[in-house]
Amino acid sequence: AGPRRQVSAEQLRARGNALFQAGDPGAALAAYTEALGLSAAGPERAVLHRNRAACYLKLEDYAKAEADATKAIEADGRDVKALFRRSQALQQLGRLDQAVSDLQRCVSLEPRNKAFQEALRALGSSMHEKMKTMSCMDSKVEQMFQILLDPEEKDVEKKQKAAQNLIVLAREEAGAEKIFQSDGVRLLTQVLDTAKADLMLAALRTLVGLCSGHRSRTMAILAELGAPRLSAVLGVEHEQVSLAACNLLHVMFDSLKEGLQKDFRGKEDAVVLDSSRDLKLLIKHLLELLVLEGASAHGRDNALNLLIKVVPRKSPKETNNSMSLWVIDQGLKKILEVGSTVCGSPGSLPVTENSRMSASVLLSKLYEDLKCDAERENFHHMCEDYVKSWFEGPELPGKLRAIQTVSCLLQGPSDAGNRVLELEGIMDSVLSLCASVCEAHQLVAVEALIHAADKAKRASFITANGVSLLKEIYKHSERDSIRIRALVGLCKLGSAGGTDFSMKQFAEGSTMKLAKQCRKWLCNEAIDTGTRRWAVEGLAYLTFDADVKEEFVEDKAAMQAMFHLAKSEDRSVLYAVASTLVNCTNSYDHEEPDPQMLELAKYAKQHIPEQHPKDKPEFVKRRVRKLLTAGVVSALACVVKSENPALTNSCRELISRVFLALVEEAEDRGGVVAQGGGKALIPLSLEGTEVGQTKAAQALAKITITSNPEMAFPGERIYEVVRPLVSLLHLQRTGLENFEGLMALTNLAGISERLRQKILKERAVPMIEGYMFEEHELIRLAATECMCNMAMSKEVQELFLAEDSDRLKLMVLYSGEEDEKLRRAASGTLAMLTALHPAICKRIPQVTVHWLEILQALLLSPSAELQHRGAVVVMNMMAAAREVAEQLIASEMLEILSVLAKGKDKP
């Protein structure tokens, strides 16, 4: 019966197609809908949804057209027909920004499709019109406030529209100033005090516009609203309102700090004090919010995230770390209060599953910001005093809080964690509580044991005492939540051999068993996310083993469960997800052993690291493909976009490594960009560890080299790519990174003058010139091609006109080299320069005695392109000056030109 049923679904689809072609979308829709009722196969259903979307577009039911197209796209993210149909529906529904993003996707998947390019252009101009009409709203500010504050006004839609208009107006400087001058801050305060969520959101988002990049307005707004009120709004139960308040505070901090830095250059000293006083006042309220019992759990998280962003120095170049010292002095205990919270114990602060992780990250950032041993000693003493204050009491809850603090420190500033672990009685207490009958107590102890195992100082002590204990717990505990943590502890202690195939600490096969159990837990949605997170922690260790990697990428459900967790609220899972992906894509650093040392080691019977046969390139390539199909790019893009505090620099580096592995093959790059990879790589390349930034920049270069940069990085984004690409030219980068950076910049420099100006501003030209002298011919060629495109800028042309430089000589000599591509780039530059500057024509005979033979060789070349470039240069030189023209005519040039002029085959 099976096959017959399928035929009928196919017949219905064919009937639908015929009806649609015949101009009857209504009847076609009915046929497709009936076919959907019979069809079970995924791909077939996707096509039917896509066809129904076309019918709904014809029938002008745009909401349904969008819904059907979305279903098709969910089945296949590269379905351009469905993407194009959805963009048409979104456009009709007025959601222009989403329509643009779908069209950009179409264009990046099919760059040569004229229809897509045209549609994108048309949509761009209609958005521009929309913005123009919105800016004519000057007089309406008072009217908008009246609508918002009128208690009698019952029309919800009218209020929403007024709120939206205010927010849009505040984004433009003129609009923001208009609102500010119209007594807007007092009115916005009234809107905030209505305590209605939608109105509060509108007020907070409007205030963001007013404060953005404007210090004096920010100070006035802070004086009017007051730090206590802002802090109270941050602590409300309503999640979106709390997040909007967090966003506003972040913008205020930025504007106030900007003032501090600008005014330090020696003017308005009084103002400097003002600004730093405001900053401290805001920070003081944030620290108080951490321990305020009435504050909501996510309010507490938002306060921690803000402190992470605004307190530590942005770079070691800033010498002043007084803000961190002040926060440690005023608030270290308050941060530890959050970090030591034992969930569910009576009287504990309301926290989310992210609060403790955020506290660890903040502590870590503060500790890293310290400059000398004395400052670090003080930090250690404060942590030790805090732990003792809980541990030395007779009550068990106090001991649990002390152990929880140890976990929090080990996950953050691990030096401080190790110091606290060494306090008398702590480690024994951890081991004895691991055997507790109470699940909550056992959880706290097992987690502390695992974190301690991670920091090598105590690992040997734990291996001696903890392994048997963890095995007992894993085998005999009734509770999954405990077993899973015990398993991770075992994984951590067992993976000490790293990627070395022959150094396995577990018995053969048990690694595979543990991994299978981890995958099972990961996919079991009945278990809470906090516990499932530990399953990923386990995989992060077990995937050092190539057999485990292979099984993992075959398990689509496990991959998707992991991506889902990465996007979830539980932030602490990120590092484990990123580590697992680095292992699966083999994007960790490979140290190639020196062959001579290997021989010696064999001779001395020393241990030699071995590579697993399944870590060979063809296996890795296959694994990357499977991860791409499972949706790894959109998961990582989502993580990078979410501005997550757990996205520490080391975590960013891991994600950058994964992205670089994902774009290794040119044919995968379009898909990576379409799923948001290009956009995610920009922030990764601008912030993080040096290695992380370089890997992200290299991935950006690979994308820029093989795809149309304007499609891959639409709008303003293309200008943000320049700095990361220029960073690849630094001398400490590898030859391959230099080469890819040059190739990518060549592509950008050929696009527009504005991009060339950006490249000039990033001081790339001296580095590009340096590489024109490189030994390696490919790097030399890439630099010359890049220079050829850069020479379209006036500033670069002036460098060639400079009297004392060899730049012009080099271009003339390169026009006579063996390598045809190098000759093409160099002679192309000469053709352009001689056309624009007669002075250059006069200098060519002076720079080298070989100038004539080089030009003649170009004209006599078998390549029409080189002949053409040569002819243009000679023509420009003839027109430039009499003495140059005479030299040319006196040579064989006239005969060569006469022969070429008669040639029929090269018009």
Side-chain angles (χ1 to χ4, degrees):
R4 227 172 66 215
R5 204 173 95 188
Q6 196 172 358
V7 171
S8 61
E10 260 176 41
Q11 283 170 339
L12 282 164
R13 187 172 112 197
R15 186 189 312 159
N17 291 352
L19 287 163
F20 188 82
Q21 299 290 332
D24 188 350
L29 179 67
Y32 294 143
T33 307
E34 198 180 332
L36 268 172
L38 296 174
S39 166
E44 190 174 331
R45 293 184 72 79
V47 173
L48 290 166
H49 281 299
R50 183 176 79 193
N51 291 357
R52 279 209 323 188
C55 299
Y56 283 130
L57 280 172
K58 287 273 189 239
L59 298 165
E60 296 182 14
D61 187 343
Y62 300 115
K64 283 187 179 155
E66 188 222 345
D68 260 308
T70 301
K71 281 183 180 151
I73 294 163
E74 280 165 1
D76 175 11
R78 303 173 69 101
D79 184 342
V80 278
K81 283 187 183 168
L83 282 162
F84 188 66
R85 281 168 199 168
R86 185 167 73 176
S87 79
Q88 289 175 297
L90 287 165
Q91 204 171 334
Q92 295 298 338
L93 292 166
R95 284 148 63 188
L96 301 187
D97 48 344
Q98 288 167 292
V100 166
S101 104
D102 274 356
L103 268 175
Q104 282 167 343
R105 198 83 198 264
C106 292
V107 171
S108 68
L109 288 166
E110 287 189 25
R112 294 215 170 87
N113 188 322
K114 288 280 186 288
F116 293 167
Q117 292 173 7
E118 207 39 65
L120 192 57
R121 215 166 285 130
L123 189 51
S125 56
S126 72
M127 279 180 85
H128 185 67
E129 285 305 306
K130 195 175 173 190
M131 289 307 288
K132 247 171 47 185
T133 50
M134 294 206 85
S135 61
C136 309
M137 292 198 158
D138 240 24
S139 60
K140 298 190 179 168
V141 174
E142 293 87 347
Q143 199 186 332
M144 292 180 225
F145 276 119
Q146 273 167 359
I147 296 170
L148 287 178
L149 289 167
D150 181 2
E152 303 300 306
E153 181 60 73
K154 295 283 180 270
D155 184 343
V156 180
E157 208 163 282
K158 197 169 172 187
K159 280 198 166 184
Q160 278 177 341
K161 199 161 185 193
Q164 193 53 43
N165 288 344
L166 261 185
I167 296 166
V168 171
L169 198 57
R171 283 180 194 151
E172 300 284 325
E173 178 48 39
E177 194 51 36
K178 179 80 190 133
I179 295 171
F180 187 71
Q181 297 300 347
S182 318
D183 197 18
V185 182
R186 189 182 59 81
L187 294 166
L188 285 166
T189 310
Q190 287 178 19
V191 176
L192 262 184
D193 291 344
T194 58
K196 291 185 179 153
D198 49 346
L199 292 179
M200 290 174 84
L201 282 171
L204 291 164
R205 287 169 183 161
T206 306
L207 285 164
V208 164
L210 297 188
C211 294
S212 219
H214 203 294
R215 179 159 162 261
S216 54
R217 269 205 305 253
T218 302
M219 290 174 76
I221 288 167
L222 184 56
E224 175 85 35
L225 284 168
R229 183 191 266 114
L230 282 167
S231 165
V233 177
L234 185 66
V236 297
E237 277 302 333
H238 193 287
E239 261 185 73
Q240 271 186 301
V241 173
S242 173
L243 194 62
C246 173
N247 196 12
L248 170 61
L249 281 162
H250 193 197
V251 167
M252 292 177 101
F253 275 116
D254 279 351
S255 300
L256 291 171
K257 276 187 139 173
E258 196 55 26
L260 269 181
Q261 274 138 21
K262 276 184 188 156
D263 297 338
F264 261 147
R265 303 197 183 121
K267 63 175 207 282
E268 320 174 64
D269 284 41
V271 184
V272 175
L273 293 173
D274 269 354
S275 195
S276 71
R277 199 176 64 215
D278 282 345
L279 277 169
K280 281 190 170 167
L281 183 68
L282 277 175
I283 289 175
K284 182 168 159 280
H285 280 281
L286 288 179
L287 290 168
E288 280 166 11
L289 180 77
L290 294 181
V291 289
L292 191 70
E293 290 193 359
S296 66
H298 41 257
R300 196 163 275 110
D301 278 5
N302 287 332
L304 285 166
N305 296 350
L306 266 172
L307 290 164
I308 289 168
K309 284 174 186 162
V310 299
V311 175
R313 292 172 293 169
K314 282 276 178 283
S315 85
K317 285 183 194 137
E318 293 172 38
T319 49
N320 183 359
N321 68 344
S322 60
M323 196 58 94
S324 286
L325 295 175
W326 186 78
V327 168
I328 289 169
D329 185 50
Q330 299 283 313
L332 184 64
K333 290 213 162 86
K334 295 184 171 85
I335 301 164
L336 288 170
E337 282 288 298
V338 181
S340 67
T341 302
V342 177
C343 295
S345 60
S348 66
L349 289 170
V351 289
T352 70
E353 59 262 25
N354 296 317
S355 309
R356 292 210 308 264
M357 182 67 187
S358 296
S360 291
V361 172
L362 175 56
L363 290 165
S364 180
K365 295 245 178 195
L366 291 171
Y367 187 75
E368 284 163 15
D369 210 30
L370 300 177
K371 291 197 292 196
C372 62
D373 288 347
E375 291 174 0
R376 283 186 275 272
E377 262 320 296
N378 175 49
F379 187 95
H380 288 313
H381 284 309
M382 289 177 85
C383 292
E384 285 171 5
D385 290 345
Y386 181 81
V387 171
K388 281 182 197 160
S389 71
W390 281 115
F391 191 70
E392 286 166 0
E395 302 295 315
L396 183 62
K399 292 205 175 355
L400 285 169
R401 286 201 70 161
I403 292 172
Q404 193 71 286
T405 313
V406 175
S407 278
C408 173
L409 288 166
L410 282 166
Q411 282 181 284
S414 55
D415 288 353
N418 276 319
R419 280 277 290 264
V420 181
L421 258 186
E422 281 155 19
L423 290 174
E424 196 177 336
I426 294 271
M427 202 65 213
D428 301 331
S429 201
V430 170
L431 289 170
S432 64
L433 274 169
C434 276
S436 164
V437 286
C438 166
E439 178 177 13
H441 300 172
Q442 200 180 9
L443 271 182
V444 172
V446 172
E447 284 193 18
L449 185 64
I450 294 169
H451 294 309
D454 215 10
K455 305 292 174 247
K457 268 195 182 175
R458 304 294 309 232
S460 56
F461 169 74
I462 292 160
T463 319
N465 298 276
V467 171
S468 51
L469 184 65
L470 288 171
K471 278 188 177 160
E472 280 302 296
I473 296 172
Y474 178 59
K475 281 184 191 144
H476 300 128
S477 173
E478 303 287 300
R479 311 182 189 102
D480 273 351
S481 58
I482 301 282
R483 291 186 65 215
I484 202 165
R485 285 164 173 81
L487 170 69
V488 174
L490 288 169
C491 294
K492 285 193 175 188
L493 296 168
S495 67
T499 54
D500 176 1
F501 178 42
S502 52
M503 270 283 279
K504 282 289 155 260
Q505 304 218 344
F506 286 153
E508 274 300 306
S510 62
T511 313
M512 299 298 283
K513 264 193 219 129
L514 292 176
K516 195 170 178 184
Q517 185 59 55
C518 280
R519 294 205 313 273
K520 203 162 110 191
W521 272 324
L522 177 59
C523 295
N524 181 352
E525 289 185 16
I527 304 179
D528 65 293
T529 37
T531 300
R532 286 165 65 208
R533 178 193 106 211
W534 284 95
V536 185
E537 292 268 351
L539 286 167
Y541 285 87
L542 295 168
T543 46
F544 278 132
D545 183 318
D547 288 311
V548 175
K549 302 179 203 190
E550 285 294 314
E551 279 202 359
F552 179 66
V553 298
E554 291 302 332
D555 186 341
K556 199 162 181 189
M559 286 192 286
Q560 284 173 339
M562 183 172 87
F563 298 154
H564 194 69
L565 273 182
K567 296 181 196 174
S568 74
E569 283 304 295
D570 189 351
R571 308 278 164 72
S572 40
V573 72
L574 278 190
Y575 195 81
V577 170
S579 305
T580 306
L581 290 171
V582 164
N583 290 342
C584 288
T585 54
N586 286 35
S587 46
Y588 38 74
D589 287 327
H590 304 274
E591 284 194 15
E592 290 300 322
D594 174 0
Q596 278 183 314
M597 295 310 286
L598 274 183
E599 284 310 308
L600 283 174
K602 276 183 191 160
Y603 181 71
K605 297 205 167 33
Q606 279 175 342
H607 172 71
I608 302 160
E610 288 176 40
Q611 191 197 28
H612 193 295
K614 288 184 185 166
D615 273 331
K616 294 205 163 77
E618 61 269 28
F619 282 92
V620 178
K621 204 160 152 184
R622 253 202 324 267
R623 289 202 288 268
V624 166
R625 283 279 152 78
K626 294 207 164 118
L627 286 165
L628 284 169
T629 327
V632 64
V633 175
S634 50
L636 291 179
C638 179
V639 165
V640 174
K641 196 173 75 187
S642 67
E643 278 285 300
N644 195 324
L647 199 57
T648 53
N649 285 346
S650 45
C651 193
R652 296 171 82 98
E653 180 185 314
L654 295 179
I655 293 175
S656 300
R657 285 173 181 278
V658 176
F659 266 125
L660 183 55
L662 296 175
V663 297
E664 189 51 48
E665 299 297 318
E667 61 266 33
D668 296 332
R669 292 172 197 166
V672 170
V673 169
Q675 290 170 35
K679 187 178 178 182
L681 279 163
I682 295 173
L684 290 172
S685 67
L686 294 172
E687 193 188 327
T689 65
E690 197 171 338
V691 174
Q693 288 180 306
T694 307
K695 302 267 180 206
Q698 200 185 350
L700 284 171
K702 285 181 189 290
I703 291 170
T704 311
I705 290 166
T706 52
S707 48
N708 176 347
E710 291 174 284
M711 302 299 177
F713 308 107
E716 291 297 299
R717 204 174 298 156
I718 194 165
Y719 301 99
E720 295 172 43
V721 179
V722 174
R723 179 172 299 165
L725 294 180
V726 173
S727 74
L728 294 174
L729 304 188
H730 294 296
L731 288 173
Q732 66 270 39
R733 302 279 170 267
T734 65
L736 178 63
E737 288 161 355
N738 299 156
F739 174 66
E740 292 186 324
L742 287 164
M743 297 253 292
L745 287 168
T746 304
N747 264 0
L748 294 186
I751 291 175
S752 70
E753 182 55 32
R754 192 177 154 200
L755 271 167
R756 288 190 285 278
Q757 287 300 325
K758 177 79 176 139
I759 295 170
L760 274 162
K761 202 170 144 197
E762 293 293 342
R763 303 199 178 89
V765 171
M767 292 190 274
I768 298 169
E769 287 194 320
Y771 287 113
M772 287 176 68
F773 294 95
E774 180 67 41
E775 293 277 299
H776 197 293
E777 64 238 29
L778 283 174
I779 295 181
R780 191 172 61 209
L781 167 66
T784 310
E785 287 180 336
C786 192
M787 205 58 184
C788 175
N789 281 352
M790 285 302 292
M792 291 188 253
S793 282
K794 211 160 114 247
E795 291 84 339
V796 179
Q797 291 159 18
E798 279 160 8
L799 296 174
F800 283 94
L801 285 163
E803 284 297 319
D804 52 352
S805 95
D806 280 341
R807 294 184 181 93
L808 186 60
K809 178 178 180 176
L810 188 66
M811 279 299 176
V812 176
L813 291 173
Y814 276 1
S815 300
E817 280 279 318
E818 301 254 302
D819 177 359
E820 187 176 319
K821 282 185 178 165
L822 184 63
R823 286 175 79 187
R824 215 164 31 199
S827 54
T829 314
L830 284 182
M832 186 165 53
L833 292 172
T834 51
L836 295 166
H837 299 283
I840 283 183
C841 299
K842 291 182 202 163
R843 280 194 54 210
I844 287 179
Q846 295 155 19
V847 293
T848 165
V849 290
H850 303 294
W851 69 280
L852 252 176
E853 56 193 89
I854 288 172
L855 287 178
Q856 288 174 358
L858 282 173
L859 287 168
L860 294 168
S861 158
S863 149
E865 278 188 68
L866 288 178
Q867 287 181 301
H868 183 209
R869 285 167 167 75
V872 171
V873 175
V874 173
M875 178 175 79
N876 295 335
M877 288 174 73
M878 290 290 296
R882 186 180 178 94
E883 66 270 23
V884 179
E886 282 174 346
Q887 282 175 282
L888 283 165
I889 293 299
S891 68
E892 291 97 73
M893 199 56 87
L894 190 58
E895 290 169 47
I896 297 173
L897 289 169
S898 311
V899 174
L900 290 179
K902 292 184 188 128
K904 297 265 190 298
D905 55 338
K906 294 175 186 170

